[in-house]
Amino acid sequence: MARVIADTQQLHRVGLEDIFAQYNEGMTSIWKDIAPSSMTTTQAYIQFMQEGDFMMAPVVGEDSPISDDDIFYGNLKQVTPVKRGLGFSLSTEAHETDQYGKLTNIVPKIKLAFNKTREQAAANRINNCTSTAAAYVNPDGVALASASHPTDTGTASNYMTTAFGPTALETMVQNLIMTVSHRGDPDPQMGPYDLMIHPAQNFLAERVLFSEGQQGTANNDSNRIGKRIRKLISSPYFTNTTFFALRNSDKRQQPFAVLERRALRVKTKEDIDLDIIKYRVTEMYVFFERGWRGFFYSAGTG
């Protein structure tokens, strides 16, 4: 329920500016790092079909037929943008006596709330990447981070529980390079990669990535793993304090994307019965998973 501001007395007090000065009016954009790929639609929903790969080309004998193959694997995912809304109402008396201009600036503050909402919505794709709920499931029918992604030859994994550190990060890179296609053939994710990690491990991650020598040792071996990481993504909206994950930085192999239905829409209306002014802001979008390849997740320990 929207709050109605009807008290005009406070607007005439000297020093009101100091009350508002403590609030951060800046916009963060970590969500753009988590899901840099975006697409727009005016449809109610979009159904995505996951494309596969061709098999290895077999040897063909003379005067022998050549086999046909199909790259359409059949994994489907329906993505529906959702509407998010927020409102604010104030009396016409308060609006008329807004000598400090604080109430007329309320819409930019609402827009800041929508940006915070995007930050949380993007981080939730990582927070729930082991969930099998319909809202977070991968196109192949299992969790985004899972040890049992189905392939034609068995199962594949992009999940582990090792604690973060140089060796664990090297293992994760090796696993990404050993990624297989839906047929079970090598489908290497060569990087470079983006590292996602909770702020609680942010400085440990910086020591691991940006040290000159091998981190945590007394030798001068070159820090090779740090050269594989392009960007460090540390969001305060991540909830698992021990997790870390690698994502392929290649734009063509991004596992996350955002589907935009429509941008922010601001509506204002005056209610003559209550003598108030209403502000309503809405936006429609959804973050979703395109596929698990190019993403490897560790829940860490703790």
Side-chain angles (χ1 to χ4, degrees):
M1 180 177 180
R3 180 184 178 187
V4 178
I5 292 184
D7 183 9
T8 61
Q9 183 178 356
Q10 63 172 327
L11 299 176
H12 300 280
R13 292 193 308 154
V14 176
L16 183 63
E17 189 74 24
D18 294 335
I19 298 176
F20 289 85
Q22 63 180 310
Y23 294 100
N24 180 11
E25 296 181 354
M27 291 280 190
T28 56
S29 58
I30 300 175
W31 66 269
K32 296 179 181 178
D33 291 331
I34 297 176
S37 298
S38 64
M39 57 197 72
T40 59
T41 181
T42 57
Q43 304 298 319
Y45 66 90
I46 290 183
Q47 185 166 269
F48 292 91
M49 179 169 63
Q50 193 171 45
E51 184 178 293
D53 58 333
F54 284 109
M55 65 180 178
M56 300 285 190
V59 175
V60 180
E62 223 178 324
D63 297 326
S64 299
I66 298 177
S67 302
D68 284 339
D69 199 8
D70 191 353
I71 63 171
F72 297 108
Y73 190 51
N75 288 337
L76 300 175
K77 183 178 180 68
Q78 182 172 301
V79 179
T80 304
V82 295
K83 181 169 69 174
R84 293 169 169 85
L86 196 60
F88 179 81
S89 302
L90 68 154
S91 67
T92 56
E93 293 93 337
H95 190 271
E96 292 163 358
T97 57
D98 185 21
Q99 60 179 314
Y100 292 98
K102 291 302 178 182
L103 298 181
T104 57
N105 291 330
I106 205 68
V107 171
K109 284 187 176 292
I110 293 179
K111 290 181 179 180
L112 175 61
F114 275 84
N115 189 76
K116 291 190 295 184
T117 304
R118 279 191 177 245
E119 293 288 0
Q120 184 183 55
N124 277 345
R125 310 318 296 187
I126 311 299
N127 297 335
N128 295 279
C129 69
T130 59
S131 172
T132 56
Y136 301 103
V137 72
N138 190 64
D140 62 7
V142 300
L144 173 67
S146 172
S148 56
H149 291 289
T151 70
D152 287 354
T153 57
T155 59
S157 174
N158 68 333
Y159 175 79
M160 63 188 198
T161 57
T162 311
F164 178 74
T167 303
L169 201 57
E170 291 173 359
T171 299
M172 188 172 281
V173 169
Q174 292 169 1
N175 289 335
L176 279 165
I177 295 174
M178 295 299 294
T179 300
V180 297
S181 70
H182 75 277
R183 295 186 183 277
D185 299 331
D187 184 20
Q189 306 290 317
M190 300 302 296
Y193 312 100
D194 297 331
L195 172 64
M196 301 180 186
I197 201 162
H198 190 275
Q201 300 193 99
N202 186 76
F203 286 105
L204 172 58
E206 291 190 5
R207 291 194 295 271
V208 169
L209 298 180
F210 307 129
S211 61
E212 291 296 329
Q214 188 176 4
Q215 195 271 339
T217 69
N219 59 47
N220 294 316
D221 288 350
S222 177
N223 180 10
R224 304 301 306 173
I225 190 62
K227 300 181 184 301
R228 297 291 187 106
I229 309 302
R230 187 198 68 171
K231 182 185 298 182
L232 180 62
I233 302 173
S234 180
S235 171
Y237 294 91
F238 291 148
T239 55
N240 185 342
T241 59
T242 62
F243 98 97
F244 68 101
L246 286 182
R247 181 195 64 189
N248 198 323
S249 297
D250 191 330
K251 289 184 178 181
R252 297 171 300 176
Q253 296 175 297
Q254 288 296 326
F256 303 101
V258 55
L259 182 63
E260 306 273 5
R261 174 74 180 276
R262 60 173 168 79
L264 282 174
R265 179 181 296 173
V266 181
K267 293 183 178 181
T268 304
K269 182 179 181 180
E270 185 172 351
D271 189 321
I272 60 174
D273 292 326
L274 300 177
D275 199 23
I276 62 175
I277 299 175
K278 297 180 178 180
Y279 296 89
R280 295 294 182 266
V281 184
T282 59
E283 187 177 22
M284 292 188 70
Y285 63 89
V286 66
F287 289 91
F288 68 98
E289 291 75 22
R290 300 168 59 181
W292 65 272
R293 294 172 182 84
F295 179 74
F296 214 101
Y297 177 88
S298 174
T301 58

